[in-house]
Amino acid sequence: MSATTRPSWTWTIEPPDGWLVVPSTATEPADAVRAWESEVVEALLESFLPEGATGPDAPDPDADHVATVRGSLTQTVGSLVTFADEAATEGARAMAGVGLLDRGPVPVLVTVGMGDPDESDDVFMTVLGAKGGNPVSPPSIEYPDLPDGDGIKVSRVDIDEATGGAWVSVAAGRRTEFPDGVVDTALVWRSQDLVLVPTILDAIVDLLPAVKIIRSTV
């Protein structure tokens, strides 16, 4: 490698079926984000209503129900964009899973960062929930085999001191080694929907390969 070149990297997401990359108004034109919201609402509407409930031939008695569902989905999709806006301030992105146990879009935070392989991995483990905080019991940690890096899967439960409610966190991570450093990928979901935990655990591990690390020299 010549003295005028240096390694560089970036990352992108290639969402598989059932997943959406949520745009952010912090990084994309507002009109493009609004168009995305409208398209997603209409696409989801079809899956949340009985066949034939929308369109010009839909029976009049369903009109109010369709409007109610559309309004609820509009609010949900708008919340996804708000989540993506908050993620963008930290250099992260947001994804949403569709059709997981018939739930609405399930938001997942995606972060990618490069580090020194000789330094402690405490930050990465804390992001995944394997360290820090005051969980109800020690986090459950597993190490799945991945084709493109060392994997880790973490789940934990914390109690919200203000409300007394239980919050579950599920995360999947991947450490990919390069000659000049390591790149850590983390997918994190946090919710009070305890029933969804087994499904989302498997789903986000399967989602890890969708986050692509791109290497180049500049």
Side-chain angles (χ1 to χ4, degrees), residues 14-218:
E14 299 177 6
D17 291 343
W19 287 91
L20 305 170
V21 178
V22 184
S24 166
T25 56
T27 57
E28 300 174 55
D31 56 347
V33 175
R34 287 194 296 270
W36 180 89
E37 290 183 85
S38 297
E39 292 172 4
V40 171
V41 167
E42 294 307 313
L44 291 175
L45 188 63
E46 295 292 335
S47 64
F48 275 83
L49 293 172
E51 185 176 352
T54 60
D57 299 325
D60 290 339
D62 287 337
D64 289 343
H65 178 59
V66 170
T68 299
V69 175
R70 179 181 281 111
S72 178
L73 288 172
T74 298
Q75 185 175 22
T76 297
V77 174
S79 296
L80 288 178
V81 172
T82 299
F83 179 68
D85 287 346
E86 294 170 352
T89 63
E90 302 296 331
R93 298 206 65 181
M95 295 190 70
V98 179
L100 297 175
L101 291 186
D102 298 323
R103 301 299 199 272
V106 176
V108 172
L109 181 69
V110 183
T111 61
V112 180
M114 191 167 190
D116 186 335
D118 295 327
E119 293 182 353
S120 169
D121 63 356
D122 284 353
V123 173
F124 184 43
M125 297 297 279
T126 300
V127 168
L128 294 172
K131 292 186 176 184
N134 295 291
V136 174
S137 58
S140 171
I141 303 174
E142 299 178 48
Y143 297 90
D145 292 329
L146 299 175
D148 54 352
D150 298 326
I152 181 171
K153 179 170 65 174
V154 181
S155 61
R156 60 184 281 168
V157 176
D158 294 87
I159 298 299
D160 187 329
E161 294 182 0
T163 65
W167 284 85
V168 62
S169 299
V170 169
R174 174 188 67 200
R175 168 157 285 188
T176 307
E177 296 184 359
F178 296 100
D180 58 328
V182 295
V183 176
D184 292 330
T185 303
L187 309 179
V188 181
W189 170 80
R190 187 169 185 264
S191 175
Q192 291 185 300
D193 189 352
L194 303 182
V195 176
L196 191 57
V197 171
T199 299
I200 198 70
L201 265 171
D202 292 336
I204 63 174
V205 170
D206 292 341
L207 186 61
L208 272 173
V211 182
K212 307 292 186 181
I213 309 301
I214 303 169
R215 298 283 291 174
S216 63
T217 56
V218 295

